[in-house]
């Protein structure tokens, strides 16, 4: 699970954002903060993976908080969620290493897309290895993981299939560096194996995925799926 700190001076907004986070598989809200001091204390405890950070806080700006975090050696990842839409603030957030910048008001789908791309980045880094040496292909894969445009889904989804779930599965397969089974896709997305299998079968029939078989000791082949570039 990815532990998230939700930071917003408005208690109601913080609660809404926390509920949004709780709806995304693989993420959980570890803490809420309503000031920069509270947020820094949570980060200092060392249990936070990702900060969803408002810029307008009562004691410091969000960017001042990020600067303090970096000065203290905290590499905790940050996604800005703020009404500040001026170019200067956006550029400063980029220079301080914010991975995404989401302007209020926003939809759940917009936040989920950013969280999904962040999870894809973490999976990609884990595959390379924290101390491994990345080649250009791995570097490109890390940077592409942060792109928030969903992989194109097939038109005319069957009854019972949703666009967000299709996009999520497409994104997982798109960023995978090897074919995945339905069990592995289910583990990556938080879906049940039967649901993952149903979507994978549809995407394979639509030409979005390539199916291959891997034979084990039991003689029963395992279906594995790989992304097909458009």
């Amino acid at each position: 699970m990815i532990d998230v700190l939700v930071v917003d001076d408005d208690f109601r907004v913080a609660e809404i954002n926390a509920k949004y986070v709780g709806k995304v598989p693989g993420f959980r809200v570890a803490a809420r903060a309503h000031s920069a001091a509270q947020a820094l204390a949570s980060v200092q405890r060392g249990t936070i993976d990702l900060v969803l950070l408002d810029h307008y806080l009562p004691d410091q700006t969000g960017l001042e908080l990020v600067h303090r975090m970096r000065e203290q050696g905290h590499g905790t990842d940050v996604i800005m969620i703020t009404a500040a839409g001026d170019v200067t603030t956006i550029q400063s957030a980029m220079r301080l290493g914010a991975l995404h910048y989401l302007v209020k008001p926003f939809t759940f789908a917009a936040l989920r897309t950013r969280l999904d791309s962040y999870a894809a980045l973490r999976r990609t880094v884990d595959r390379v290895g924290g101390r491994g040496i990345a080649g250009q292909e791995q570097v490109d894969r890390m940077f592409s993981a942060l792109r928030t445009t969903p992989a194109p889904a097939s038109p005319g989804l069957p009854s019972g299939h949703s666009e967000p779930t299709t996009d999520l599965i497409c994104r997982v397969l798109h960023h995978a560096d090897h074919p995945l089974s339905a069990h592995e896709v289910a583990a990556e997305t938080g879906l049940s194996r039967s649901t993952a299998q149903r979507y994978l079968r549809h995407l394979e029939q639509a030409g979005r995925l390539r199916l291959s078989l891997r034979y084990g000791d039991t003689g029963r082949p395992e279906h594995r799926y790989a992304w097909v570039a458009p």
Side-chain angles (χ1 to χ4, degrees), residues 101-151:
Y101 197 104
L102 193 57
V103 180
K104 297 177 180 177
F106 60 91
T107 64
F108 168 64
L111 177 59
R112 175 164 188 164
T113 298
R114 273 76 181 174
L115 294 180
D116 285 341
S117 71
Y118 174 71
L121 172 64
R122 287 175 61 97
R123 289 193 298 269
T124 302
V125 172
D126 288 344
R127 291 190 186 105
V128 174
R131 298 182 181 179
I133 303 300
Q136 189 61 52
E137 182 181 352
Q138 287 77 24
V139 171
D140 291 343
R141 190 175 293 123
M142 290 179 194
F143 276 88
S144 68
L146 286 175
R147 294 174 185 166
T148 57
T149 302

Side-chain angles (χ1 to χ4, degrees), residues 12 17 22 39 55 57-58 71 73 78 87 137 143 157 196 202 215 219:
R12 183 181 60 86
N17 291 351
H55 183 57
L57 299 173
E71 280 188 331
V78 173
V87 174
E137 182 181 352
F143 276 88
L157 290 175
H202 165 69
Y215 290 86

Side-chain angles (χ1 to χ4, degrees), residues 11-171:
F11 284 71
R12 183 181 60 86
V13 173
E15 182 63 25
I16 292 172
N17 291 351
K19 287 182 178 178
Y20 279 171
V21 172
K23 293 169 64 177
V24 181
F27 291 82
R28 65 185 173 195
V29 176
R32 298 174 181 79
H34 308 291
S35 68
Q38 291 176 354
L40 184 60
S42 293
V43 170
Q44 288 172 336
R45 285 192 285 271
T47 60
I48 302 300
D49 299 308
L50 174 67
V51 181
L52 300 186
L53 181 60
D54 187 17
H55 183 57
Y56 298 118
L57 299 173
D59 49 349
Q60 278 188 316
T61 67
L63 293 186
E64 288 172 339
L65 169 61
V66 177
H67 185 69
R68 287 184 64 191
M69 288 166 51
R70 301 306 183 233
E71 280 188 331
Q72 295 183 13
H74 300 295
T76 311
D77 294 319
V78 173
I79 293 178
M80 297 296 296
I81 298 182
T82 176
D86 60 285
V87 174
T88 299
T89 301
I90 295 169
Q91 286 182 322
S92 297
M94 294 172 65
R95 288 167 182 154
L96 285 169
L99 297 179
H100 283 299
Y101 197 104
L102 193 57
V103 180
K104 297 177 180 177
F106 60 91
T107 64
F108 168 64
L111 177 59
R112 175 164 188 164
T113 298
R114 273 76 181 174
L115 294 180
D116 285 341
S117 71
Y118 174 71
L121 172 64
R122 287 175 61 97
R123 289 193 298 269
T124 302
V125 172
D126 288 344
R127 291 190 186 105
V128 174
R131 298 182 181 179
I133 303 300
Q136 189 61 52
E137 182 181 352
Q138 287 77 24
V139 171
D140 291 343
R141 190 175 293 123
M142 290 179 194
F143 276 88
S144 68
L146 286 175
R147 294 174 185 166
T148 57
T149 302
S154 304
L157 290 175
S159 176
H161 286 63
S162 73
E163 195 78 26
T165 302
T166 301
D167 288 343
L168 175 59
I169 291 178
C170 285
R171 190 176 296 110

